[in-house]
Amino acid sequence: MTLQQRLDAFKADFRAGKPPFNAPAFIHRIMARGTEELIASGAASRALKAGDRAPDFALEAPDGSVVTAAALIARGPLIVSFYRGVWCPYCNMELQALQEALPAFTAAGAQLVAISPQNRVNSRKSVRENALDFPILSDPGNAVAARFGLRFALPDYLIELYQTLGNQLPAFNSDDSWTLPMPARFVIGGDGRIAYAEVNPDYTRRPEPLDMLPVVERLSRATATV
């Protein structure tokens, strides 16, 4: 089963109210409205694209160490996945799919990191619960996400819904801005430029991890011949 098939199955069960879900219909309407408005805003079209120079970053890993983009890129092509947080089931399924693809990325000489606005405690939880062998980096206030063109502010009606559901983002993120990144993946080459970019304002839609592999392999071959 592909990642998107898993996400679609989860979404169908959630909308149908199958156990353990019991969400009333109005919740689905509010979530759909938020996604539709984000799509209509054109925010995704303003995110960085293939050919753009990737911003550098220095972010904390769960153990408190600082990880920089420059250091990672020096070791090979860099895969960066932006996700919303450990509270998001779609994000957790994506992280698990990335973990499944990790051996192929590693064999191709690539580095993989995921970035979210959550604090280090919740990043550790993400790593533990999804059995990850790659680091989760904390991006306070979605500052790095903003530089990639991914940050957006939740509208008031979504904030109210999240609070009702117990998704207290200020607690998860140690930040009261109520912002999130659009889910996105980038592959960055040794020259610091983005070779692959996938951004989707619909958080229930995620590309297959191995879609990035041909780009990673091409970048690795190019580095080897220099």
Side-chain angles (χ1 to χ4, degrees):
M1 184 180 291
T2 66
L3 170 59
Q4 192 57 55
Q5 287 171 336
R6 288 180 234 171
L7 298 175
D8 289 343
F10 176 88
K11 184 177 181 178
D13 287 348
F14 180 62
R15 292 181 66 87
K18 292 184 178 180
F21 310 114
N22 188 26
F26 79 89
I27 288 179
H28 307 303
R29 291 195 295 270
I30 294 173
M31 289 180 168
R33 175 187 171 188
T35 299
E36 290 165 1
E37 290 181 355
L38 185 57
I39 293 170
S41 74
S45 67
R46 295 187 288 275
L48 296 186
K49 300 174 178 60
D52 290 336
R53 183 166 293 280
D56 195 12
F57 58 76
L59 298 174
E60 285 190 339
D63 63 2
S65 61
V66 176
V67 177
T68 68
L72 293 169
I73 291 170
R75 296 162 57 188
L78 174 59
I79 299 168
V80 181
S81 178
F82 286 88
Y83 76 106
R84 307 192 311 160
V86 69
W87 52 270
C88 171
Y90 297 93
C91 297
N92 289 326
M93 284 187 274
E94 179 182 27
L95 290 175
Q96 293 161 18
L98 286 168
Q99 175 63 36
E100 292 169 6
L102 183 60
F105 296 145
T106 300
Q111 314 297 310
L112 168 62
V113 297
I115 297 176
S116 85
Q118 67 193 1
N119 58 35
R120 288 196 288 120
V121 171
N122 286 302
S123 290
R124 286 195 293 271
K125 185 177 180 181
S126 283
V127 170
R128 182 176 66 253
E129 293 189 349
N130 294 296
L132 304 180
D133 294 317
F134 57 90
I136 302 292
L137 307 181
S138 295
D139 179 22
N142 285 292
V144 173
R147 294 171 65 195
F148 277 82
L150 305 175
R151 182 174 65 187
F152 70 97
L154 272 67
D156 289 344
Y157 65 85
L158 268 185
I159 293 175
E160 182 178 351
L161 176 62
Y162 276 40
Q163 291 173 326
T164 300
L165 297 176
N167 287 349
Q168 298 291 348
L169 295 191
F172 280 110
N173 300 342
S174 299
D175 163 56
D176 61 3
S177 67
W178 285 97
T179 62
L180 286 175
M182 289 181 286
R185 294 202 210 123
F186 300 92
V187 178
I188 304 169
D191 60 357
R193 293 199 174 273
I194 296 170
Y196 171 100
E198 179 73 32
V199 180
N200 200 323
D202 183 348
Y203 63 91
T204 70
R205 307 291 302 176
R206 313 286 172 107
E208 300 306 312
L210 289 178
D211 288 352
M212 299 181 288
L213 187 58
V215 176
V216 168
E217 292 175 332
R218 175 175 58 79
L219 292 173
S220 292
R221 287 194 300 269
T223 300
T225 59
V226 173

